[in-house]
């Protein structure tokens, strides 16, 4: 891990690491290795004070939006990003400006854990589909975009086309997307119109048993008039001899 960090830092700054202070262990070619006694944080006060600042910021960021502790990694990363853009007494300047040599801006900084709505491109949605979906701000990307957490499929998305609502937060007690639906019904009474929302799932299901009954006609019946004036012989009076 340190070797990757050393290569990155020296290439970006054009300078070499000369001194490294740790609590012991490791081989560092050409670098003066200052070792402190184990379990003595007072020997490395600068690093310990910075770690305390990161921990306090992380705790506050998670508690403010009532986020789960599983987001501690994103919170530490964001806290480090913010501290690098804040002036310090030791440098009498902003660390990010010294590192990059350019003026830094903080206009894009937003409250960690805020609810936001990310725009869905036309190529990824249907004509009647939603144009945005809810996300949670969990950090910043080096491209200038935001790191967003999708609370429904649990993934990290990078986007800059977002509308952030810093006064709103995601309801972490909601385990899954609600499946209830409401149907608007218009009730007219005494020339007054009232709109009522009925929850379909909240309505009890009533089982209605259909009872079949035999209908008896009450219509008065009359004898047929087709055989009027003819002699009618019942069938039982006719035998084999006629």
């Amino acid at each position: 891990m340190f070797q990757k960090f050393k290569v990155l830092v020296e290439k970006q700054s054009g300078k070499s690491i000369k001194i490294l202070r740790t609590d012991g262990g490791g081989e560092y070619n050409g670098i003066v290795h200052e070792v402190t006694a184990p379990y003595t944080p007072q020997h490395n006060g600068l690093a310990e004070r910075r770690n305390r600042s990161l921990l306090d910021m992380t705790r506050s960021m998670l508690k403010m939006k009532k986020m789960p502790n599983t987001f501690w990694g994103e919170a530490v990363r964001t806290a480090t990003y913010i501290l690098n853009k804040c002036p310090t007494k030791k440098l009498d300047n902003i660390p990010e400006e010294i590192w990059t040599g350019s003026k830094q801006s903080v206009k894009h900084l937003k409250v960690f854990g805020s609810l936001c709505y990310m725009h869905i491109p036309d190529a990824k949605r249907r004509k009647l589909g939603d144009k945005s979906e809810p996300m949670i701000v969990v950090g910043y990307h080096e491209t200038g975009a935001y790191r967003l957490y999708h609370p429904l499929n649990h993934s990290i998305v990078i986007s800059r086309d977002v509308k952030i609502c810093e006064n709103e937060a995601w309801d972490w007690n909601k385990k899954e997307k609600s499946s209830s639906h409401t149907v608007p019904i218009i009730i007219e009474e005494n020339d007054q119109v009232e709109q009522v929302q009925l929850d379909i799932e909240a309505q009890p299901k009533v089982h209605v048993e259909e009872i079949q009954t035999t209908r008896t006609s009450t219509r008065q019946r009359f004898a047929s008039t087709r055989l009027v004036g003819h002699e009618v012989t019942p069938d039982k009076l006719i035998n084999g001899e006629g």
Side-chain angles (χ1 to χ4, degrees):
M1 179 63 69
F2 172 75
Q3 293 179 351
K4 294 181 179 179
F5 173 78
K6 176 178 179 296
V7 173
L8 175 63
V9 169
E10 292 181 348
K11 285 187 175 181
Q12 294 290 334
S13 63
K15 299 179 181 179
S16 301
I17 298 178
K18 297 180 180 179
I19 300 175
L20 176 66
R21 180 177 296 177
T22 68
D23 55 359
E27 292 290 337
Y28 307 98
N29 298 328
I31 301 176
V32 177
H33 187 196
E34 295 183 354
V35 181
T36 61
Y39 306 104
T40 54
Q42 60 271 22
H43 289 177
N44 194 11
L46 182 62
E48 294 297 333
R49 184 63 185 90
R50 180 61 68 177
N51 289 340
R52 180 180 176 182
S53 298
L54 288 173
L55 180 60
D56 292 342
M57 292 179 65
T58 299
R59 184 185 298 109
S60 300
M61 292 160 64
L62 294 177
K63 297 299 182 181
M64 181 177 181
K65 294 296 183 178
K66 299 180 180 180
M67 299 182 66
N69 292 336
T70 53
F71 288 93
W72 70 269
E74 296 290 345
V76 170
R77 180 174 181 172
T78 303
T80 304
Y81 180 87
I82 296 174
L83 287 176
N84 286 334
K85 292 184 177 295
C86 297
T88 62
K89 294 181 180 180
K90 186 70 174 179
L91 299 175
D92 195 22
N93 202 341
I94 298 176
E96 192 76 17
E97 290 186 2
I98 297 176
W99 178 259
T100 61
S102 59
K103 190 72 174 179
Q104 298 297 310
S105 175
V106 294
K107 294 182 179 180
H108 64 288
L109 296 182
K110 302 295 181 181
V111 177
F112 181 85
S114 297
L115 182 66
C116 66
Y117 297 90
M118 184 189 72
H119 174 70
I120 303 176
D122 295 341
K124 294 185 178 181
R125 61 180 172 86
R126 297 183 177 180
K127 292 183 179 180
L128 298 180
D130 296 336
K131 290 189 175 182
S132 64
E133 55 184 341
M135 296 282 185
I136 302 172
V137 179
V138 293
Y140 308 90
H141 195 259
E142 55 267 15
T143 59
Y146 293 96
R147 287 174 56 86
L148 309 175
Y149 176 76
H150 199 302
L152 299 181
N153 57 22
H154 310 290
S155 61
I156 297 294
V157 182
I158 307 299
S159 177
R160 60 181 304 171
D161 298 328
V162 295
K163 181 178 181 181
I164 302 176
C165 305
E166 296 184 272
N167 295 327
E168 299 181 12
W170 179 261
D171 184 9
W172 294 101
N173 295 325
K174 180 170 54 177
K175 298 298 182 182
E176 57 184 2
K177 200 172 183 180
S178 176
S179 59
S180 61
H181 303 279
T182 58
V183 179
I185 298 179
I186 304 298
I187 300 177
E188 297 183 3
E189 183 179 358
N190 298 330
D191 297 333
Q192 295 182 357
V193 180
E194 180 181 1
Q195 184 172 355
V196 180
Q197 297 287 341
L198 295 182
D199 194 335
I200 294 179
E201 294 186 354
Q203 299 299 320
K205 296 182 180 180
V206 180
H207 178 69
V208 179
E209 183 178 359
E210 297 183 358
I211 302 177
Q212 297 181 354
T213 58
T214 304
R215 296 182 57 185
T216 303
S217 176
T218 59
R219 185 180 58 180
Q220 187 177 0
R221 298 179 179 273
F222 299 94
S224 176
T225 58
R226 293 184 304 165
L227 302 179
V228 176
H230 296 76
E231 184 179 358
V232 179
T233 303
D235 293 340
K236 63 181 180 178
L237 298 179
I238 300 176
N239 52 26
E241 297 178 356

